[in-house]
Amino acid sequence: MKHVSWAWLLLLLPLGLSSSCDRKPSTDTRSGETDQAAPVVTVKAPVFSGDSAYHFVDRQVGFGPRVPNSAGHRQCGDYLVATLKKYGAQVTVQEFVADAYNGTKLQSRNIIGSYLPDAPKRILLAAHWDTRHVADKDSVRRNEPILGASDGASGVGVLLEVARIIGADSSRAPVGVDIIFFDAEDYGVPDAERANYPNDKEFYCLGSQYWGKNLHKPGYSAYYGILLDMVGAKNATFFKEGLSMQYASGVVNKVWDIAGFLKYGQYFLNDVSNQVGTDDHVFINTLAKIPTIDIIDTKPQTGFSTYHHTHRDDMSIIDRNVLQAVGQTVLQTVYQEGAPVVQ
Ligand code: AHN
Ligand code: ZN
């Protein structure tokens, strides 16, 4: 079974919506381009389960905060390794010690699950699995670590569900998938201390920075990458993020077109947002040179959502429908990359 639905194709061709994607990101960032011939959706992907993804988020949050050097962090890391193995991935664990802004040595692990490790065409899917050590945007318990249900667990939960699905689908098309769970993303300088650190942004994303300089496989590359960050909260809004547009506008437009086709336009908005200050996709782009986008919940004017880096980021804000929208969009995108090229 090749998952190619020619009936769908014929139905879709007249729409003529598409965005091309190759290793050279397009410089044309207009949305709503309609002058290309290829259809948005060309194959039938399996159904993504928002309920199952929710369960994976809940399991992670059940370990408590996943701050490097804590018991919850160790236990959650072990759970992620075991779960990727259970779903048939070839797992590589990259252990490293990261230097935090305050001199703390962070015992860290990037966890990589690969499917079809020898397939030349590969898609990289990433999320960070650690959670923030402080709640610096809260008004209470600011020095305590957060649960990070959306900021941390949501992206990983979606990707564990992707792993479950593709691990069970022996007939899927031959595109390789590497799921990377980055560690030590969120140990950045607390807001109140930033004045003391001129280069404060460098202290976020320590796991992706390590990986970019020490690829888990020598010479590793991928066709493109998709980073998920804060993809679980109710009323999430995903704008076309500025740095993603700069590095990989073709990928952004492809993914947003697919989301729109799947009727997830209430979450995937067609406007370009300001760029996030930094995130793991920056280092995938600049160090590994893989065009990579960030699907990240942001709000116009205010930037991040109100739960960001507060104790409100717990299971009560997680919405299965948002996990579903992101997961189905990512799964459809991956399945299409394995499909035969349509002329
Ligand atoms: C900054 O906070 C500078 N960048 C966003 C990276 C991040 C933190 N994503 C989730 N938490
Ligand atoms: Zn964060």
Side-chain angles (χ1 to χ4, degrees):
M1 235 250 297
K2 276 265 163 53
H3 294 288
V4 181
S5 163
W6 295 106
W8 273 44
L9 262 178
L10 290 173
L11 276 172
L12 295 169
L13 274 167
L15 286 174
L17 290 169
S18 159
S19 54
S20 67
C21 170
D22 54 30
R23 294 299 304 266
K24 240 193 291 128
S26 152
T27 51
D28 187 347
T29 56
R30 288 171 305 165
S31 56
E33 292 167 81
T34 55
D35 54 351
Q36 292 170 45
V40 175
V41 165
T42 55
V43 300
K44 203 149 172 47
V47 174
F48 182 93
S49 168
D51 285 334
S52 176
Y54 182 94
H55 157 82
F56 290 129
V57 175
D58 196 36
R59 275 297 297 269
Q60 293 169 79
V61 171
F63 292 108
R66 282 85 67 211
V67 178
N69 301 344
S70 71
H73 179 261
R74 269 190 302 281
Q75 289 159 6
C76 185
D78 293 347
Y79 162 74
L80 298 178
V81 171
T83 307
L84 285 173
K85 284 186 179 161
K86 176 171 136 190
Y87 295 137
Q90 181 188 86
V91 178
T92 308
V93 178
Q94 213 179 29
E95 293 195 31
F96 60 102
V97 179
D99 289 309
Y101 64 94
N102 57 4
T104 305
K105 302 273 183 204
L106 305 174
Q107 304 295 326
S108 308
R109 278 184 283 181
N110 291 330
I111 298 165
I112 300 124
S114 296
Y115 290 93
L116 302 181
D118 298 321
K121 181 176 178 180
R122 318 197 59 73
I123 306 296
L124 189 170
L125 305 175
H128 76 89
W129 71 273
D130 64 305
T131 54
R132 188 147 175 79
H133 58 309
V134 289
D136 46 336
K137 288 189 180 171
D138 212 324
S139 53
V140 295
R141 297 189 289 122
R142 264 197 206 125
N143 292 324
E144 293 177 26
I146 64 168
L147 282 171
S150 189
D151 189 1
S154 66
V156 172
V158 166
L159 295 184
L160 286 177
E161 172 62 0
V162 168
R164 187 187 71 77
I165 292 169
I166 64 182
D169 186 358
S170 55
S171 64
R172 72 190 179 85
V175 64
V177 174
D178 302 293
I179 293 174
I180 307 191
F181 296 144
F182 288 120
D183 204 349
E185 187 273 351
D186 227 348
Y187 214 99
V189 181
D191 276 358
E193 295 175 52
R194 274 172 58 185
N196 306 328
Y197 297 88
N199 300 323
D200 62 286
K201 289 203 176 103
E202 292 171 11
F203 295 103
Y204 281 97
C205 308
L206 299 178
S208 55
Q209 294 192 58
Y210 180 87
W211 176 84
K213 294 169 190 156
N214 305 273
L215 299 172
H216 67 285
K217 266 190 181 177
Y220 174 80
S221 194
Y223 190 45
Y224 61 79
I226 302 174
L227 173 68
L228 307 182
D229 192 4
M230 297 186 271
V231 294
K234 57 184 77 142
N235 303 316
T237 43
F238 308 118
F239 292 92
K240 295 181 171 182
E241 183 270 325
L243 290 168
S244 306
M245 289 301 282
Q246 196 175 302
Y247 290 118
S249 63
V251 183
V252 174
N253 289 328
K254 175 193 298 233
V255 170
W256 261 248
D257 284 351
I258 289 172
F261 183 87
L262 297 176
K263 302 273 185 287
Y264 298 131
Q266 80 178 99
Y267 306 117
F268 286 81
L269 302 169
N270 262 318
D271 304 297
V272 176
S273 75
N274 292 331
Q275 52 201 42
V276 294
T278 192
D279 209 347
D280 289 320
H281 68 314
V282 170
F283 301 99
I284 307 175
N285 276 293
T286 58
L287 298 174
K289 309 272 192 243
I290 298 168
T292 299
I293 68 165
D294 195 4
I295 301 179
I296 182 166
D297 182 12
T298 58
K299 298 291 173 253
Q301 274 91 47
T302 53
F304 294 115
S305 279
T306 52
Y307 63 80
H308 184 243
H309 294 180
T310 73
H311 296 295
R312 290 187 293 286
D313 187 359
D314 62 16
M315 286 310 288
S316 70
I317 65 162
I318 300 298
D319 183 343
R320 291 167 163 83
N321 298 313
V322 176
L323 299 170
Q324 173 79 39
V326 174
Q328 192 69 66
T329 298
V330 169
L331 198 61
Q332 182 69 43
T333 305
V334 168
Y335 268 66
Q336 290 199 183
E337 293 302 347
V341 175
V342 180
Q343 297 294 347

